[in-house]
Amino acid sequence: MKAKKIWANFSVKDAKRTNQFYTQLGFTPNMPNSDPKLASFRFGDDDFVIHFFEQGSKIDDYLPPVSKTISEIIFTLSAETEAEVNEWAEKVKNAGGDIFHKLERDEANYYGFGFADPDGHKFNVLLMDNWM
């Protein structure tokens, strides 16, 4: 069996707020959308799609209510320069995201930070400039 496509689905408290947050970060909406309980965006060069369904919609049958204390997965967004990582951090702060891991170089000498969106969904931005 081969999957043609893969995407992610998250439960959020307020799809409008989620739409504003990811729009402020500069992500491209996935499609024209008239459903007020859905925000959907494309991520990266491969246009990976993440749908954010508001609680009280069809996602309730599949996902538990949003919890800011438990993250079901963390997505990594790659950056090409330190300046780009720093720009991401500033955008996240300005959009109201929570930076839970400060900007730094880790033990592998990668540069980045971790953040959570308004519903607690976690991402990290990472520059792997010494990889390969």
Side-chain angles (χ1 to χ4, degrees):
M1 182 166 78
K2 180 181 176 190
K4 288 184 176 184
K5 203 121 167 102
I6 185 171
W7 62 90
N9 300 300
F10 279 140
S11 176
V12 298
K13 289 183 181 173
D14 183 341
K16 183 178 178 183
R17 177 186 66 188
T18 299
N19 190 45
Q20 291 168 342
F21 179 78
Y22 287 100
T23 297
Q24 253 185 285
L25 294 184
F27 290 105
T28 303
N30 178 38
M31 59 193 158
N33 177 24
S34 60
D35 184 348
K37 292 192 174 222
L38 172 65
S40 182
F41 288 89
R42 296 180 177 272
F43 293 78
D45 290 343
D46 294 329
D47 288 332
F48 182 75
V49 173
I50 302 178
H51 298 301
F52 301 90
F53 290 94
E54 189 170 306
Q55 290 173 353
S57 67
K58 58 188 165 189
I59 202 64
D60 291 353
D61 292 340
Y62 298 92
L63 291 172
V66 175
S67 168
K68 287 195 175 190
T69 59
I70 299 171
S71 180
E72 61 278 11
I73 192 167
I74 187 166
F75 287 104
T76 299
L77 306 171
S78 67
E80 294 184 12
T81 65
E82 277 192 32
E84 187 179 9
V85 173
N86 296 336
E87 288 173 31
W88 274 105
E90 194 61 32
K91 281 184 175 184
V92 167
K93 281 188 234 174
N94 291 339
D98 174 36
I99 295 181
F100 64 83
H101 190 271
K102 66 179 171 69
L103 279 164
E104 67 178 6
R105 283 215 175 255
D106 66 13
E107 63 280 351
N109 204 30
Y110 300 146
Y111 184 66
F113 70 100
F115 74 92
D117 72 8
D119 286 286
H121 301 300
K122 293 182 179 179
F123 292 78
N124 67 347
V125 176
L126 193 60
L127 169 63
M128 298 174 64
D129 52 353
N130 62 348
W131 186 56
M132 296 177 93

